[in-house]
Amino acid sequence: MFGKRTGGPEVKPKAPPQVPGSEVPAAAQNLLDEAPEPVQKAAAKPVPAPEQTPAPVADHSDLFGDERDKYNETKQSIFASLVEAVDLTELGKLDSAQVREEITDIVGEIIAMKAIVLSGAEQQNLITDICNDVLGLGPLEPLLERDDIADIMVNGAEKIYIEVDGRIELTDIRFRDNAQLMNICQRIVSAVGRRVDEASPICDARLLDGSRVNVIGPPLSIDGATLTIRKFKKDKLRIQNLVDFGSITPLGAKLLGVIGACRLNILVSGGTGSGKTTLLNALTAFIEDGERTITCEDSAELQLQQPHVVRLETRPPNLEGAGEVTMRDLVKNCLRMRPERIIVGEVRGPEAFDLLQAMNTGHDGSMGTIHANNPREAVSRVENMIAMGGFNLPARTVREQISSAVHVIVQAARLRDGSRKITHVTEVVGMEGDVVTLQDLYTYEIQGEDENGKLIGEHKPTGLRPTFWDRAKYFGREQDLVEALGM
């Protein structure tokens, strides 16, 4: 299984342990036969089936300055010896628990052979780091385990930033070199059937937990590959969590519940990092279990809790430039799949027209997100996207489509203190002349800031009667609407 390489250290790797339903290839068995007797006995010992437990995270909090540099040099030396001693390609084919056991034994032998002095904790941390390099995302693994991080931004091998509580911080984590960083990027994108190299240096992907990933590599990224991970919390946020965080009041959450339950078409608007996708995911909680919902995304991030959900994802072109499946292709096709609700992860192109068409033809309760700084701008953005799609339609016709299709715009924003708020719940009323008419139902007003620089504000209902009042009555939610708006 593990091919000995010429010039490597004299480390005899043991053959992979037997597990039920697997056999040792002949090449590996020959290698095992030539190994010393203790290694043969260890390899013959049965290994219990591994439990599904998260990978351990190395703790380097007690290392500073020269100690950290010395630790990194030691790890690089041992990792280089490990690469020479075993075939990591074959190693990667084994179960993760088996790989950790193999690496633990071989690294122990390398340490003994090189006479490296390490404490038990240091040796365990080193083994964990090497396992993360082989199986996981290397030095990023400790950051992925932290639930307080919203974004991980890797600017080449030497600079890794994180966003915590809306603030960007520089970490002391480093990659070994740009080659290791590029290997990690390739491992991420290949897991979802995509690629990143000099021929195709830009790629969108996702992690297993749905976290959004963007990679841009050389030659476009001059100082090494740039990796950006929009990290999602392990426990998906619900509307009640947004209330607990102060993003919306309990009455505002009740209003959103009425909007979702009454199957109104919703656009979630906001700037980058304002929490649009999180808010959209929370709004899907009001979808009933019996409804057939189809999601269309560039990289699958939404995780709906309903049982009847179909998830669709776009596909980039192949090496020959063929085979691309765009968001518009997905939206057009899902109309043939008998959906009751269509959810578009992000509306950013001509698929806006197809989504409006779907909203106007019986797919009530459809949702999508859009980049805009306020509800009025969101309407203009949709209009511009339709124009960019090459649709030769009069401006008034497009605006009529928007006013009849979209019922509510929910505006999310990240404020200057790093907090995220729902600043507007705005209803699309209709048309007055050539202008789409909007009215705010709920707004957030900033009143000042405290001594710590945190903004102080208040969510207030405007007291206006929504035009979807009769619809709320039809669904039996008029009393909740009265309470939410303080009428």
Side-chain angles (χ1 to χ4, degrees), residues 224-345:
T226 299
L227 171 65
T228 309
I229 301 176
R230 172 64 54 81
K231 197 167 159 294
F232 291 152
K233 291 183 177 293
K234 296 176 183 176
D235 298 324
K236 300 303 176 185
L237 295 182
R238 299 183 177 274
I239 287 293
Q240 184 56 48
N241 299 120
L242 301 184
V243 173
D244 297 339
F245 296 152
S247 297
I248 190 69
T249 62
L251 290 179
K254 180 172 283 191
L255 174 61
L256 294 179
V258 172
I259 290 171
C262 293
R263 296 176 61 92
L264 297 176
N265 297 323
I266 303 171
L267 272 185
V268 178
S269 169
T272 299
S274 60
K276 300 186 299 299
T277 304
T278 299
L279 177 55
L280 179 62
N281 213 53
L283 290 173
T284 61
F286 303 113
I287 299 176
E288 296 181 1
D289 288 349
E291 298 182 46
R292 177 174 169 84
T293 305
I294 299 180
T295 66
C296 304
E297 302 174 81
D298 281 318
S299 55
E301 302 167 321
L302 296 173
Q303 294 190 359
L304 279 63
Q305 306 302 316
Q306 290 73 21
H308 198 163
V309 177
V310 179
R311 304 171 71 204
L312 304 180
E313 186 177 54
T314 60
R315 186 178 70 182
N318 58 21
L319 284 171
E320 292 75 28
E324 181 181 14
V325 179
T326 66
M327 182 67 76
R328 190 175 181 205
D329 296 329
L330 293 184
V331 175
K332 289 168 65 177
N333 185 77
C334 76
L335 295 176
R336 306 183 183 98
M337 299 172 64
R338 206 270 180 197
E340 291 186 289
R341 296 196 194 221
I342 298 172
I343 300 179
V344 178

Side-chain angles (χ1 to χ4, degrees), residues 26-44:
Q29 188 61 54
N30 293 337
L31 223 173
L32 177 60
D33 292 339
E34 299 173 2
E37 184 177 352
V39 178
Q40 296 184 30
K41 290 181 179 179

